[in-house]
């Protein structure tokens, strides 16, 4: 064995090679061994999880190994289904062994002359079967005639497959596969089998890792392993990852074309604006920290775009725009990864994952997103959701050069393609190129054709149909269109074997505008081909439209672009709480953060309040009292659901409170945008022994699902009780209980000498929604006093139990 180790050294010396070649070979061998050990360790860890999930979780395996139901409460365990799979797996393995021998092996041999000796010597699918870690069923955001399921697939297999090709042994010994498989059952029927078809596809590229055997071990060599893994994943993505689908009809005569190729949900337009406080990745001599050269990778499904690189800047500005076709919502997400460009290997700088459901509902989101998997950094994105509409009036050309429409091409089949380029060409040119019988025999075969589709400067290629004059592709393609009146679709059918054109066609998109539905479904005559050669396609043109967001919805983005609600305050200059008649002042200016209040829904059972009219004219006392009566009726109906406990002291109804309560009190959180948080002696108020309210604070609280954070907007306070004759300097302090650490405290700025301070400041607590629901907000208004002063520091306090609130919807209260 020692002589075997010295063999390469001797061989290098015998051939006169330098010692650097030996060192290079040694480095490659070490890296190869490291890759092999890493794969074995990961497979062993995954198998341990499969054997005893509870013990593996207790040992603290990596989070990616944990089943989905651990992280997501809406994902259900299906142990009964896993038990069925365990029982059926041996029979499935027998069927697959037969399929490999009788179906797959002949197809591989027919691919090439060099593969004629291909033989499967061992096929064993092992004892470990695929496992479903959880299932999520969608019932709200989908059509009522379908059932949509997301299956968390985990296959950690001990399969063993060996194949001999010309005395070379290739094989696989162990596979790991993780991914989310979506299963759609549609349409639901009223007769057996009750489901028309089943559609399967992966939402994202599944994670795949293969342990090779035999000569295939060479694929684990550094450099080659990355290429081989990516080729296999691309092969799977071309067939099973969106927008590609597998549709199996369950009922006879079921038309599945619209199920395999549905119209996309919409288009996501991403404006990559800038970033700030990115981590420093470049360094000199391993000690001196420099700047970074950041760029961004943006992905939705299998489509990826790369931004330009900004050199030596930790606060880069890109101002670039990218567009993605979104096929499934919910399901698809926007992934953003930041990297530092280096000559050798790019360094990771942070990532971002944004769910597209909220973006679709909000229509437009413009905000700073914190980067995850890094120590610092924020990314500024503007996201626009574009709906697909059948309206020719929306097809006006964009001045900024952005897309105005989307073209969907359903490529079905072709008929009577020529065998070769010379079959339809006349003249002596074709005859001269046929030089020998071998070339003539090759040209007599049926063509292996594929299609190149081009719109503007983008070209897409179909799959290849081997040896057929009537190929059927059955694929869908999408193109962004800037000017439907002037652009065209160019089609070219080519033969893979001879790289020659078998026919071309040009379709002007203006022809689709003549149809009311902007659709063409027909055969198109091929040019430069036989006289009876056609290609069958369906072309659908849809305009891109940015719809107005629902005014009743709380936006998931932090900065809403709606004006703020009507705010009722006391008469200017009046500091006495018992002498002012009802009077409504004009609306003070609102900040951009506080403007989110307007988007909250109005559900009060009393009279409707017109914001414009109430901000311009005084409100009669009869109207105010009427609203107050409606409030009392609503509160009495709520009963035990009231946020104020039954043991709390009753707060007397004062004239000034009748003036300011134009909406229900704190017991109806989320009912109207301008109801009241009172700083008094109730459970939600300050406990200082006083029976009268100590003032009010205006808050907006909601959970931003895109940012995974609780957002608290402190807008303003009013009618605070002074703690001394010299006035107060109020500020607001916030804790997310039970965390009372000083580092987690949030604090506004100090407003000098005022009892009605205006803050308009935003604070965020980055926690999951499940954790937020178990906590409460402790908000106190304090007086910024000198250290040695004897003045009272705390002016009032509010405590909000978040478990009782609809945080996704949000609420805004006085």
């Amino acid at each position: 064995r020692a002589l075997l180790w010295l063999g390469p050294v001797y061989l290098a010396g015998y051939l006169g090679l330098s010692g650097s070649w030996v060192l290079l070979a040694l480095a490659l061998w070490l890296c190869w061994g490291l890759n092999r050990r890493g794969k074995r360790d990961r497979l062993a860890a995954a198998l341990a999880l499969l054997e005893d999930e509870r013990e593996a979780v207790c040992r603290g395996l990596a989070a990616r190994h944990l089943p989905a139901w651990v992280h997501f409460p809406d994902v259900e365990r299906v142990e009964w289904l896993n038990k069925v799979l365990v029982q059926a797996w041996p029979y499935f393995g027998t069927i697959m062994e037969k399929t490999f021998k009788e179906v797959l092996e002949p197809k591989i041999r027919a691919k090439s002359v060099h593969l004629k000796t291909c033989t499967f010597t061992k096929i064993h699918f092992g004892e470990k079967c695929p496992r479903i870690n959880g299932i999520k069923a969608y019932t709200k955001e989908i059509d009522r005639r379908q059932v949509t399921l997301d299956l968390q697939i985990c296959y950690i297999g001990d399969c063993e497959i060996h194949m001999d090709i010309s005395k070379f042994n290739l094989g696989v010994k162990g596979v790991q596969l993780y991914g989310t498989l979506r299963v759609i059952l549609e349409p639901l029927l009223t007769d057996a089998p009750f489901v028309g078809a089943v559609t399967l596809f992966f939402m994202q590229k599944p994670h795949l890792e293969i342990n090779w055997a035999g000569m295939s071990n060479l694929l684990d060599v550094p450099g080659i392993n990355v290429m081989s893994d990516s080729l296999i994943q691309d092969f799977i993505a071309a067939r099973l990852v969106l927008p590609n689908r597998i549709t199996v009809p369950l009922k006879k005569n079921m038309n599945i074309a619209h199920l395999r190729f549905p119209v996309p949900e919409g288009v996501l337009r991403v404006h990559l604006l800038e970033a700030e406080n990115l981590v420093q990745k470049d360094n000199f001599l391993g000690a001196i920290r420099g700047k970074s050269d950041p760029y961004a990778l943006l992905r939705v499904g299998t489509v990826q775009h790369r931004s330009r690189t900004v050199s030596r800047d930790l606060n880069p500005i890109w101002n670039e725009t990218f567009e993605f076709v979104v096929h499934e919502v919910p399901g698809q997400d926007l992934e953003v990864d930041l990297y530092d460009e280096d000559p050798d290997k790019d360094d990771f700088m942070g990532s971002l994952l944004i769910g597209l459901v909220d973006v679709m509902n909000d229509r437009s989101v413009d905000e700073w997103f914190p980067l995850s998997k890094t120590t610092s950094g924020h990314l500024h994105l503007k996201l626009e959701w574009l709906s697909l509409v059948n309206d020719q009036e929306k097809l006006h050309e964009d001045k900024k050069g952005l897309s105005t429409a989307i073209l969907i091409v359903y490529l079905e089949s072709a008929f009577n393609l020529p065998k070769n380029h010379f079959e339809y060409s006349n003249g002596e040119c074709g005859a001269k190129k046929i030089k020998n019988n071998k070339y003539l025999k090759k040209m007599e075969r049926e063509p292996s054709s594929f299609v190149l589709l081009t719109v503007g400067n983008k070209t897409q290629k179909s799959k290849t149909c081997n040896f057929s004059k009537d190929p059927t592709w059955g694929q869908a393609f999408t193109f962004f269109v800037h000017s439907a009146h002037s652009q065209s679709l160019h089609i070219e059918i080519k033969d893979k074997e001879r790289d020659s054109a078998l026919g071309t066609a040009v379709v002007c998109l203006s022809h689709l505008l003549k149809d009311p539905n902007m659709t063409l479904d027909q055969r198109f005559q091929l040019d430069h081909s036989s006289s009876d050669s056609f290609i069958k396609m369906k072309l659908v043109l849809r305009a891109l439209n940015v719809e107005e967001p629902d005014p009743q919805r709380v936006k998931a983005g932090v900065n809403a672009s709606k004006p703020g609600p009507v705010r009722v305050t006391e008469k200017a200059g009046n500091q006495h709480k018992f002498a002012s008649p009802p009077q409504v002042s004009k609306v003070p200016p609102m900040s951009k953060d506080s403007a989110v209040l307007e988007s909250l829904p109005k559900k009060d059972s009393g009279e409707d309040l017109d914001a414009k009219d109430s901000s311009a004219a005084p409100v009669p006392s009869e109207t105010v009292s009427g609203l107050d009566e409606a409030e009392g009726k609503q509160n009495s109906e709520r009963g035990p659901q009231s946020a104020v406990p039954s043991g709390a002291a009753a707060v007397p109804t004062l004239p000034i409170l009748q003036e300011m309560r134009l909406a229900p009190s704190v017991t109806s959180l989320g009912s109207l945008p301008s109801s009241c948080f009172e700083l008094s002696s109730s459970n939600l108020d300050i406990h200082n022994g006083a029976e009268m309210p100590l003032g009010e604070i205006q808050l907006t609280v909601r959970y931003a699902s895109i940012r995974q954070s609780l957002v608290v907007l402190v807008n303003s306070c009013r009618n605070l009780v002074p703690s001394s004759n010299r006035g107060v300097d109020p500020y607001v302090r916030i804790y997310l209980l039970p965390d009372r650490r000083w580092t987690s405290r949030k604090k506004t700025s100090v407003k000098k000498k005022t009892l009605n301070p205006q803050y308009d400041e935003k604070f965020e607590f980055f926690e999951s929604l499940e954790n937020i629901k178990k906590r409460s907000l402790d908000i106190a208004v304090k007086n910024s006093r000198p250290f040695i002063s004897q003045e009272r520091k705390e002016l009032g306090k509010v405590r909000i139990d978040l478990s009782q609130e609809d945080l996704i919807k949000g609420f805004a209260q006085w």
Side-chain angles (χ1 to χ4, degrees):
R1 185 162 183 169
L3 292 176
L4 185 63
W5 283 97
L6 294 176
V9 180
Y10 172 78
L11 183 62
Y14 179 78
L15 296 176
L17 300 176
S18 66
S20 60
W21 288 99
V22 178
L23 294 177
L24 179 61
L26 180 62
L28 286 175
W29 182 82
L30 290 174
C31 292
W32 173 81
L34 186 63
N35 284 341
R36 295 286 300 165
R37 285 193 297 273
K39 282 189 174 183
R40 284 196 296 267
D41 293 343
R42 288 191 292 271
L43 181 61
L47 286 173
L49 174 67
L50 197 65
E51 291 292 340
D52 192 341
E53 183 178 300
R54 181 182 297 275
E55 182 182 351
V57 170
C58 294
R59 286 202 308 266
L61 283 176
R64 71 181 181 91
H65 292 300
L66 298 180
W69 56 266
V70 175
H71 304 287
F72 309 105
D74 53 353
V75 176
E76 303 174 15
R77 300 186 66 177
V78 283
E79 288 304 313
W80 64 271
L81 186 55
N82 289 321
K83 292 176 182 178
V84 172
L85 290 177
V86 170
Q87 291 294 106
W89 184 247
Y91 302 94
F92 175 80
T94 303
I95 296 174
M96 292 305 297
E97 290 174 14
K98 186 177 180 180
T99 303
F100 270 61
K101 277 287 188 180
E102 298 180 359
V103 179
L104 187 59
E105 188 175 289
K107 286 187 175 182
I108 294 176
R109 290 179 176 180
K111 283 287 184 180
S112 173
V113 178
H114 306 289
L115 299 177
K116 284 188 177 295
T117 60
C118 170
T119 304
F120 285 101
T121 58
K122 183 177 182 179
I123 303 174
H124 179 58
F125 277 82
E127 304 297 329
K128 308 297 181 184
C129 69
R131 178 178 175 82
I132 300 176
N133 284 337
I135 290 182
K136 180 177 181 179
Y138 294 91
T139 57
K140 294 182 179 180
E141 300 90 355
I142 61 173
D143 188 356
R144 291 182 60 87
R145 293 195 63 195
Q146 68 176 208
V147 176
T148 300
L149 305 172
D150 280 350
L151 279 64
Q152 309 291 332
I153 301 295
C154 170
Y155 177 48
I156 306 161
D158 55 348
C159 62
E160 194 168 353
I161 302 174
H162 291 272
M163 178 174 59
D164 284 345
I165 300 178
S166 301
K167 298 182 180 180
F168 293 102
N169 180 262
L170 308 175
V172 173
K173 193 175 183 180
V175 175
Q176 291 188 65
L177 176 69
Y178 304 93
T180 301
L181 180 69
R182 174 157 289 188
V183 179
I184 301 179
L185 309 176
E186 66 172 334
L188 300 180
L189 308 174
T190 56
D191 55 345
F194 306 110
V195 176
V198 179
T199 302
L200 308 171
F201 54 88
F202 281 100
M203 303 299 300
Q204 309 286 346
K205 281 186 180 181
H207 171 77
L208 178 66
E209 194 167 298
I210 300 175
N211 282 13
W212 301 104
M215 292 294 293
S216 304
N217 277 325
L218 294 176
L219 296 177
D220 283 332
V221 173
I224 299 179
N225 63 332
V226 177
M227 185 184 304
S228 62
D229 290 346
S230 63
L231 286 175
I232 295 173
Q233 289 189 358
D234 291 342
F235 177 81
I236 296 175
R239 289 157 177 79
L240 266 176
V241 180
L242 276 177
N244 306 295
R245 306 162 184 249
I246 292 180
T247 302
V248 181
L250 301 181
K251 188 177 178 63
K252 291 183 179 181
N253 303 322
M254 174 63 63
N255 183 13
I256 62 173
H258 69 285
L259 300 178
R260 288 191 62 195
F261 311 115
V263 176
E265 294 282 348
V267 170
L268 177 68
R269 181 173 291 163
V270 182
H271 300 273
L272 178 64
L273 302 178
E274 56 185 324
E276 66 177 8
N277 299 328
L278 299 181
V279 294
Q280 298 174 341
K281 288 294 183 178
D282 293 338
N283 58 76
F284 304 96
L285 302 178
I288 303 175
R289 305 290 291 180
K291 294 187 176 182
S292 300
D293 306 317
Y295 69 90
L297 292 178
L298 301 95
R299 286 186 302 277
V300 173
T302 58
V303 180
Q304 176 174 288
H305 293 297
R306 185 189 190 278
S307 73
R308 61 184 176 88
T309 302
V310 180
S311 300
R312 299 181 57 78
D313 197 342
L314 298 179
N315 299 285
I317 298 176
W318 288 287
N319 288 329
E320 295 184 67
T321 301
F322 306 96
E323 294 174 322
F324 298 91
V325 178
V326 181
H327 297 272
E328 287 289 327
V329 176
Q332 288 189 292
D333 300 319
L334 171 64
E335 303 173 64
V336 184
D337 294 327
L338 294 186
Y339 289 91
D340 170 35
E341 187 175 50
D342 289 321
D344 48 359
K345 183 181 179 181
D346 296 345
D347 297 320
F348 179 74
M349 301 180 68
S351 64
L352 185 63
L353 182 66
I354 301 176
L356 298 183
V357 176
D358 291 315
V359 178
M360 180 181 67
N361 293 331
D362 290 347
R363 304 300 178 182
S364 179
V365 176
D366 184 357
E367 63 178 284
W368 287 88
F369 294 92
L371 296 175
S372 59
K373 302 178 184 178
T374 186
T375 56
S376 67
H378 285 75
L379 186 64
H380 188 191
L381 298 176
K382 181 181 179 182
L383 310 176
E384 292 180 315
W385 181 265
L386 307 176
S387 302
L388 307 184
V389 296
N390 183 15
D391 188 356
Q392 297 188 18
E393 296 181 357
K394 304 290 185 180
L395 291 175
H396 51 82
E397 190 167 350
D398 191 88
K399 296 180 180 179
K400 298 180 180 179
L402 300 176
S403 303
T404 60
I406 183 176
L407 176 67
I408 308 167
V409 181
Y410 300 102
L411 178 63
E412 296 186 18
S413 57
F415 306 93
N416 300 319
L417 293 181
K419 290 183 178 180
N420 52 70
H421 177 69
F422 310 112
E423 186 174 287
Y424 59 87
S425 62
N426 55 2
E428 300 178 356
C429 177
K432 290 180 181 179
K433 292 185 179 181
I434 305 176
K435 296 182 179 180
N436 50 51
N437 291 333
K438 182 179 179 181
Y439 188 68
L440 183 61
K441 290 181 180 179
K442 185 176 180 181
M443 296 182 63
E444 289 299 321
R445 294 188 306 185
E446 300 290 336
S448 298
S449 55
F450 63 91
V451 183
L452 295 177
L453 303 165
T454 304
V455 174
N457 57 1
K458 182 179 181 180
T459 300
Q460 298 191 53
K461 179 181 176 182
S462 73
K463 66 181 181 181
T464 301
C465 291
N466 294 316
F467 313 123
S468 176
K469 292 188 66 175
D470 302 313
T472 300
W473 293 283
Q475 289 181 275
F477 304 89
T478 56
F479 296 89
F480 287 107
V481 177
H482 297 84
S483 176
H485 299 278
S486 59
Q487 287 187 283
S488 302
L489 170 66
H490 296 263
I491 304 109
E492 183 179 16
I493 304 178
K494 303 191 75 173
D495 187 354
K496 178 183 177 182
E497 298 290 330
R498 294 174 289 272
D499 197 26
S500 58
L502 302 177
T504 61
V506 178
V507 180
C508 295
L509 301 187
S510 57
H511 293 167
L512 280 81
L513 302 180
K514 299 176 182 178
D515 185 82
N517 295 323
M518 294 194 291
T519 302
L520 288 179
D521 187 2
Q522 64 183 57
R523 293 184 177 186
F524 296 88
Q525 173 72 48
L526 291 175
D527 299 327
H528 306 99
S529 186
S530 301
S531 58
D532 56 349
S533 296
F534 296 89
I535 184 171
K536 190 175 189 309
M537 298 183 299
K538 181 179 179 181
L539 308 180
V540 178
L541 187 67
R542 290 293 179 264
L544 302 182
N545 180 45
V546 180
E547 297 180 358
E548 291 296 327
D550 184 3
Q552 301 294 324
R553 171 179 166 79
V554 178
K555 300 195 73 173
V558 173
N559 296 329
S561 57
K562 304 289 288 184
V566 174
R567 298 212 301 211
V568 184
T569 61
E570 62 182 321
K571 206 170 184 179
N574 177 33
Q575 298 294 334
H576 198 276
K577 292 185 170 42
F578 302 98
S580 174
Q583 181 76 19
V584 178
S585 65
K586 290 190 177 182
V587 182
M590 298 284 288
S591 71
K592 189 164 55 177
D593 285 340
S594 63
V596 73
L597 298 173
E598 175 63 25
S599 59
L600 290 172
K602 299 182 180 181
K603 299 180 181 179
D604 186 25
S605 60
E607 312 229 346
D608 292 336
L609 185 64
D610 189 339
K612 181 183 292 187
D613 294 340
S614 64
S615 63
V619 178
S621 58
E622 292 81 7
T623 305
V624 177
S625 60
L627 285 170
D628 206 33
E629 291 173 4
E631 168 205 342
K633 180 179 179 181
Q634 185 177 13
N635 290 344
S636 64
E637 292 175 354
R638 291 176 181 262
Q641 297 180 357
S642 173
V644 181
S646 57
V651 180
T653 304
L654 304 177
I656 188 66
L657 294 181
Q658 290 184 352
E659 170 196 341
M660 289 186 287
R661 285 186 181 177
L662 292 181
S665 65
V666 72
T667 58
S668 57
L669 294 178
S671 60
L672 273 183
S674 56
S675 50
C676 301
F677 274 126
E678 296 178 0
L679 300 175
S680 67
S681 59
S682 68
N683 187 46
L684 290 177
D685 309 321
I686 189 169
H687 299 272
N688 65 342
E691 290 298 326
M692 68 177 63
L694 301 177
E696 295 173 323
I697 182 171
Q698 185 187 40
L699 300 173
T700 301
V701 182
R702 64 171 183 80
Y703 188 79
S705 55
I706 293 180
R707 298 171 62 89
Q708 296 290 301
S709 66
L710 179 71
V711 181
V712 180
L713 298 180
V714 181
N715 300 109
S716 60
C717 297
R718 65 185 179 191
N719 304 327
L720 298 179
V721 177
S723 58
S724 67
N725 294 330
R726 69 174 190 87
V728 293
D729 302 330
Y731 68 91
V732 180
R733 183 269 301 147
I734 305 175
Y735 282 124
L736 184 60
L737 299 181
D739 188 0
R740 286 187 174 273
R741 293 176 300 170
W742 185 85
T743 54
S744 61
R745 181 186 66 165
K746 307 294 184 183
K747 176 184 173 183
T748 67
S749 59
V750 178
K751 302 299 180 181
K752 298 290 186 180
K753 301 294 184 293
T754 178
L755 298 177
N756 300 281
Q758 183 84 18
Y759 297 103
D760 293 328
E761 297 183 32
K762 176 192 71 178
F763 303 96
E764 290 186 84
F765 297 90
F766 291 95
E767 293 283 350
S768 65
L769 181 59
E770 289 74 18
N771 290 338
I772 292 292
K773 281 284 191 179
K774 301 174 184 177
R775 307 174 78 170
S776 59
L777 280 175
D778 181 41
I779 302 172
V781 181
K782 296 194 173 186
N783 177 27
S784 179
R785 57 175 186 173
F787 180 72
I788 60 174
S789 174
Q790 299 297 321
E791 298 175 6
R792 176 164 54 88
K793 184 174 183 179
E794 195 170 79
L795 302 179
K797 180 186 288 187
V798 170
R799 182 168 295 183
I800 306 173
D801 185 3
L802 299 178
S803 63
Q804 306 297 323
E805 308 306 331
D806 185 357
L807 297 178
I808 297 297
K809 176 183 174 183
F811 58 87
Q813 305 291 123
W814 263 105

